[in-house]
Amino acid sequence: MAEGFTILIDGKRAEARPGETILDVLRREQVETPTLCNHQHLTPAKTCRACVVELKGSRPLVASCERKAEPDMEVRTDSERVQNARRGVFELLLSQNDVSTAPGLVSQAEQLGAVPDRYRGQKYERGFFDDNKLYVRDFDKCILCYRCVEACGPDVQNTFALTVAGRGFTAGISAGFDETLVDSACVFCGNCVEVCPTGALMDRREHTLRAQGRYDESQQDVVQTTCSYCGVGCQLDLHVDRRRNEIVKVTSPDQHPITLGFLCVKGRYGYSFLEAEDKPEEAVKGA
Amino acid sequence: MTAMHEAVLLRRRGAKAGDLKSYIGSGGLAALKKARAIGPEETVRILTDSGLVGRGGAAFPAGRKWESVRTAKDPIRYVVLNTDESEPGTFKDRVMIESDPFMVLEGLLIACYAVSATRAYIYVRGEYRHVAELLAKSLRELQQAGHLEAVGPNGAALEVEIRRGGGAYICGEETALFRSIEGYRGEPMAKPPFPTVAGLFRKPTVVNNVETLANVPDIIAFGAKALRSRGTERSPGTKLFSVSGSVDRPDTYEVPFGTRLSDLLELAGGGKDLQAVLMGGAAGTFVFPKDFDLSLSYEGVAERHTTLGSGAVIAFDRETNLWQVAERLGRFFAHESCGQCVPCRVGTRRQHEMLQALAEGHGRGDERGLLTRLSQVMTDASICGLGQTAATAVRSLLEAESAGLLAN
Ligand SMILES: Cc1cc2nc3c(=O)[nH]c(=O)nc-3n(C[C@H](O)[C@H](O)[C@H](O)COP(=O)(O)O)c2cc1C
Ligand code: SF4
Ligand code: SF4
Ligand code: SF4
């Protein structure tokens, strides 16, 4: 294995290993760095530009999530230029998106001192799509982070149902030629929902409960189990609303060695039989 | 001193343009022959010595690019001729090819030979259908006459593919261009890795502008000094400029580097009562009469904080409202942003909205400050040159306005 080396972060030496990105080093050194498109299991899309840093020798700022650390790199994260650029990214997003289900985005924006109404103008309006039984797509909330495209494509699912269509401000996520999901290549694994950082993609049940004011994470317990559909043995976390003893959604731990948080349609959405055993009459009526 | 229109690259412009017999009759293809006699290493050395820098906008030394691909470990390499020419106000590559397709193609063949390219691609702007057809016809003639033989690696015939773009400015950016050829959305990739290391299909790739490669045959045929006999020490050779707007004779002009901007404008029949020129296209800056004496060379424009960019020179008279021009530029960038990164995707939109307000005179008063602030975010944080330069012209206009240089 190749030797470790050091880089300079805001004037201080920090250890780095070959293959690591600047962001990896920043995280280990606990230098707080905002990110939106970055996801631990996905290829860096380097599109949101929230994590930019100043790199000696580079005229523009560079995305720390994507740029590999090299010996003796000199990185600055504390300069006014960096702070201004990061704040700008959040201010631009706040000027276009509905961020009501994106608490991570909002809190990072606050930390940076972003002014929500700095810029005004046309909102991002790509519409609400309710075209299947398992999840809804509210693209007014989409920040085009590319996570869902990568998860549906080569990074996880290899289904390639999703792509970016159009360009500039009107670019957006599309299942082929703006097909409904049912008519697209989608296999309803829900892995795009899993990685979406803004709630633009949301399980139908969560969406319905939110609309009814009944979605409350503090009232949920997580029950661990193993998926019973096949022999792979994916761990499932059943999120159960303890008030109604009702499953609100199913996820898998993002560090689970088999799933890395990703599931298939059966594990993620095929849970109504559990409720049928408890409350057969309700299951017949439909959830 | 009045400038001279010095036809070097454009010397075959006119009646016999695009005729292979007369091209060869006037010395054409001698450079390719010489390159094959002296070998790849020497060919690249001559190019490096000539000091030729890329004419596509980034002014990168052509010899350095060729040398790193020539010496790459990977046996599969590509050469791409960037004929996407989509910068507003820029038409010199089209004129170059229309005037002398064989000189451009000979430059391409020499490049392929020098770096042992396994295949060449010519990426032509979608709207330039006739240019693509002219190139295809000329290539066919070269091939039928056997001139592509043994230009490829290990004595193989060279394969050249012509690809037409789909009408997106961004596909002129080299990495987006690669994606487009590969069959994906034209979205720029992060650099590094640079194209010479991992370019088209992640293989070492030389990508050059039309005018860059058009310079190559003379350099190889007559030596590095041929280029250095014109222009300045640091900007050797001649340069093509697309001059348009408020001038009597808009056209492509070829002048030695170091020519004064005012002389170029005079050549084009303008310059008397101009308010400003936009140098370098949409991604360039506005230059005002006080700077019309600037030297058209890389060092000359740097001194005055402007750029040669793509070689576009757009002249505006005193009647023109430059905020309306800026609004058009803003619309262009908002329309052409690929949409990948936030600073450019949202930033070009916000910029255009504010420019619209200013051009129509119903701003809220805070636009100028916001535009300055936004320009910094876009310049610093965008992925590629489009977003990084989308605010350059606007910023130069804001500065000019504060200095009281606008006519209305
Ligand atoms: C948005 C954008 C558009 C570009 N369009 C062109 C183009 O149309 N033609 C071109 O030759 N270079 C264009 N470039 C520059 C290319 O990326 C590249 O630097 C150039 O083709 C290299 O050739 P050269 O070294 O011969 O100049 C563009 C760059 C950007 C950022
Ligand atoms: S549910 Fe799965 S297959 Fe369908 S779009 Fe999302 S990631 Fe792709
Ligand atoms: S839908 Fe969600 S995951 Fe997909 S690009 Fe938009 S914000 Fe990102
Ligand atoms: S700067 Fe603009 S054109 Fe370039 S990658 Fe970003 S969005 Fe696309």
Side-chain angles (χ1 to χ4, degrees):
Chain A
M1 210 190 105
E3 294 284 302
F5 52 87
T6 61
I7 69 174
L8 271 171
I9 298 173
D10 299 327
K12 287 199 284 289
R13 288 258 157 221
E15 299 287 328
R17 294 177 210 123
E20 279 188 328
T21 63
I22 297 174
L23 182 63
D24 291 332
V25 183
L26 292 174
R27 290 253 162 92
R28 191 169 47 242
E29 296 294 315
Q30 295 177 352
V31 179
E32 214 154 311
T33 312
T35 59
L36 291 168
C37 66
N38 189 253
H39 184 282
Q40 57 181 339
H41 299 315
L42 302 175
T43 310
K46 43 85 180 145
T47 56
C48 76
R49 318 308 282 172
C51 70
V52 287
V53 296
E54 231 177 292
L55 175 64
K56 192 170 180 189
S58 166
R59 193 175 37 82
L61 304 178
V62 305
S64 62
C65 66
E66 188 271 340
R67 189 61 167 264
K68 294 268 192 282
E70 289 165 30
D72 299 321
M73 263 183 168
E74 291 181 37
V75 172
R76 290 222 83 88
T77 72
D78 58 359
S79 68
E80 184 46 36
R81 240 182 112 203
V82 169
Q83 295 305 312
N84 177 61
R86 291 178 176 178
R87 218 179 288 127
V89 163
F90 282 86
E91 288 172 345
L92 286 169
L93 288 174
L94 291 170
S95 78
Q96 70 155 0
N97 287 111
D98 168 358
V99 292
S100 58
T101 53
L105 190 159
V106 173
S107 67
Q108 295 188 85
E110 276 167 9
Q111 253 172 23
L112 286 163
V115 179
D117 54 359
R118 172 95 63 198
Y119 300 103
R120 45 183 191 275
Q122 175 83 45
K123 295 276 177 201
Y124 187 62
E125 286 163 347
R126 238 183 109 76
F128 180 78
F129 295 86
D130 181 1
D131 58 11
N132 69 84
K133 294 191 169 154
L134 301 180
Y135 70 95
V136 297
R137 301 177 291 162
D138 186 353
F139 285 133
D140 296 359
K141 295 175 176 170
C142 173
I143 58 168
L144 221 65
C145 70
Y146 285 59
R147 277 191 189 184
C148 56
V149 178
E150 297 192 331
C152 188
D155 282 0
V156 180
Q157 188 60 26
N158 283 296
T159 293
F160 301 94
L162 301 181
T163 185
V164 176
R167 63 191 194 192
F169 192 75
T170 56
I173 299 298
S174 164
F177 295 92
D178 276 338
E179 304 246 44
T180 63
L181 276 177
V182 183
D183 285 334
S184 77
C186 174
V187 298
F188 294 99
C189 62
N191 288 327
C192 52
V193 178
E194 169 64 30
V195 297
C196 180
T198 60
L201 309 177
M202 192 179 280
D203 289 345
R204 163 169 302 285
R205 190 168 285 185
E206 177 176 343
H207 173 74
T208 308
L209 292 173
R210 278 182 190 271
Q212 296 168 346
R214 294 201 288 133
Y215 189 85
D216 182 355
E217 279 175 12
S218 69
Q219 296 297 327
Q220 294 168 9
D221 295 318
V222 173
V223 180
Q224 268 185 18
T225 185
T226 303
C227 183
S228 58
Y229 278 107
C230 80
V232 170
C234 299
Q235 179 182 325
L236 302 183
D237 283 350
L238 309 179
H239 301 246
V240 179
D241 189 315
R242 70 176 79 90
R243 296 168 300 189
R244 290 165 41 101
N245 196 26
E246 171 189 65
I247 297 173
V248 295
K249 72 174 166 191
V250 177
T251 61
S252 186
D254 58 16
Q255 296 305 338
H256 187 266
I258 294 171
T259 68
L260 298 175
F262 301 112
L263 292 169
C264 80
V265 61
K266 293 176 281 182
R268 195 182 299 280
Y269 293 121
Y271 53 79
S272 57
F273 74 96
L274 288 171
E275 294 166 343
E277 282 170 15
D278 285 351
K279 295 177 274 184
E281 60 297 333
E282 273 192 33
V284 174
K285 275 185 268 157
Chain B
M1 185 197 88
T2 336
M4 289 191 304
H5 179 68
E6 199 174 349
V8 180
L9 298 175
L10 293 180
R11 63 181 178 269
R12 294 191 185 87
R13 191 176 187 180
K16 293 259 172 168
D19 179 74
L20 183 55
K21 262 213 195 86
S22 80
Y23 181 69
I24 294 173
S26 59
L29 293 180
L32 178 61
K33 197 171 162 201
K34 177 171 170 195
R36 289 158 72 164
I38 60 177
E41 192 174 347
E42 181 64 8
T43 301
V44 178
R45 199 186 55 74
I46 296 176
L47 188 71
T48 307
D49 288 351
S50 77
L52 178 68
V53 303
R55 309 290 199 236
F60 191 84
R64 284 238 303 275
K65 256 188 209 180
W66 289 28
E67 182 64 6
S68 44
V69 175
R70 186 186 76 77
T71 54
K73 286 209 184 71
D74 201 315
I76 299 186
R77 302 102 186 261
Y78 298 107
V79 174
V80 177
L81 172 59
N82 189 343
T83 317
D84 195 52
E85 189 164 68
S86 308
E87 187 72 36
T90 311
F91 39 84
K92 49 106 184 161
D93 290 344
R94 170 175 64 75
V95 170
M96 182 66 235
I97 291 172
E98 286 168 351
S99 309
D100 203 348
F102 290 113
M103 179 135 79
V104 177
L105 290 174
E106 186 179 359
L108 177 65
L109 297 190
I110 294 170
C112 290
Y113 170 75
V115 305
S116 306
T118 33
R119 182 178 288 235
Y121 287 86
I122 305 181
Y123 191 90
V124 187
R125 173 184 174 146
E127 293 86 340
Y128 280 5
R129 179 189 287 274
H130 71 288
V131 173
E133 283 165 1
L134 176 59
L135 287 169
K137 171 177 163 286
S138 308
L139 260 176
R140 237 179 355 257
E141 289 177 31
L142 284 173
Q143 190 206 9
Q144 281 161 3
H147 297 295
L148 303 192
E149 295 303 322
V151 176
N154 307 319
L158 182 71
E159 288 180 46
V160 186
E161 259 189 59
I162 297 180
R163 295 291 185 93
R164 287 180 55 213
Y169 168 64
I170 193 57
C171 288
E173 194 281 337
E174 52 201 16
T175 59
L177 188 158
F178 300 153
R179 297 296 283 167
S180 172
I181 290 179
E182 292 163 10
Y184 296 98
R185 272 173 71 78
E187 287 180 346
M189 296 181 283
K191 287 185 269 189
F194 290 96
T196 49
V197 176
L200 184 60
F201 300 108
R202 306 293 91 71
K203 297 295 177 187
T205 303
V206 167
V207 48
N208 273 138
N209 172 260
V210 169
E211 185 187 347
T212 312
L213 288 187
N215 270 287
V216 168
D218 281 355
I219 293 172
I220 301 305
F222 307 120
K225 282 201 220 84
L227 193 74
R228 294 198 175 275
S229 67
R230 297 184 183 85
T232 69
E233 171 67 29
R234 284 164 59 202
S235 308
T238 60
K239 176 83 194 81
L240 303 180
F241 288 96
S242 313
V243 186
S244 65
S246 302
V247 292
D248 290 341
R249 294 182 296 278
D251 200 349
T252 299
Y253 291 91
E254 180 174 10
V255 293
F257 278 108
T259 300
R260 293 198 183 288
L261 173 59
S262 51
D263 291 334
L264 174 66
L265 291 168
E266 202 171 302
L267 263 180
K272 298 280 172 323
D273 202 25
L274 291 180
Q275 179 181 187
V277 303
L278 181 58
M279 285 289 298
T285 75
F286 287 100
V287 170
F288 292 81
K290 70 176 176 56
D291 285 317
F292 280 4
D293 62 334
L294 70 77
S295 147
L296 294 168
S297 59
Y298 295 106
E299 62 278 16
V301 290
E303 208 173 87
R304 305 288 175 100
H305 307 288
T306 180
T307 172
L308 295 179
S310 61
V313 175
I314 311 174
F316 299 101
D317 61 24
R318 299 183 61 78
E319 321 287 82
T320 312
N321 179 338
L322 293 183
W323 283 110
Q324 284 169 1
V325 176
E327 187 274 331
R328 276 300 283 117
L329 299 178
R331 180 156 21 128
F332 170 78
F333 283 116
H335 182 67
E336 296 295 346
S337 162
C338 83
Q340 193 182 183
C341 63
V342 174
C344 172
R345 178 178 77 242
V346 192
T348 54
R349 179 66 173 229
R350 294 293 170 258
Q351 173 172 273
H352 179 228
E353 288 164 346
M354 288 189 268
L355 290 170
Q356 236 171 345
L358 287 178
E360 289 163 13
H362 58 66
R364 294 211 319 206
D366 59 355
E367 281 82 6
R368 287 171 174 78
L370 278 174
L371 280 169
T372 308
R373 175 184 268 273
L374 176 59
S375 76
Q376 197 60 45
V377 176
M378 290 163 65
T379 307
D380 279 343
S382 295
I383 292 176
C384 84
L386 191 151
Q388 288 163 10
T389 59
T392 319
V394 174
R395 200 144 47 175
S396 75
L397 192 57
L398 285 166
E399 280 163 18
E401 190 182 55
S402 316
L405 298 174
L406 305 197
N408 48 48

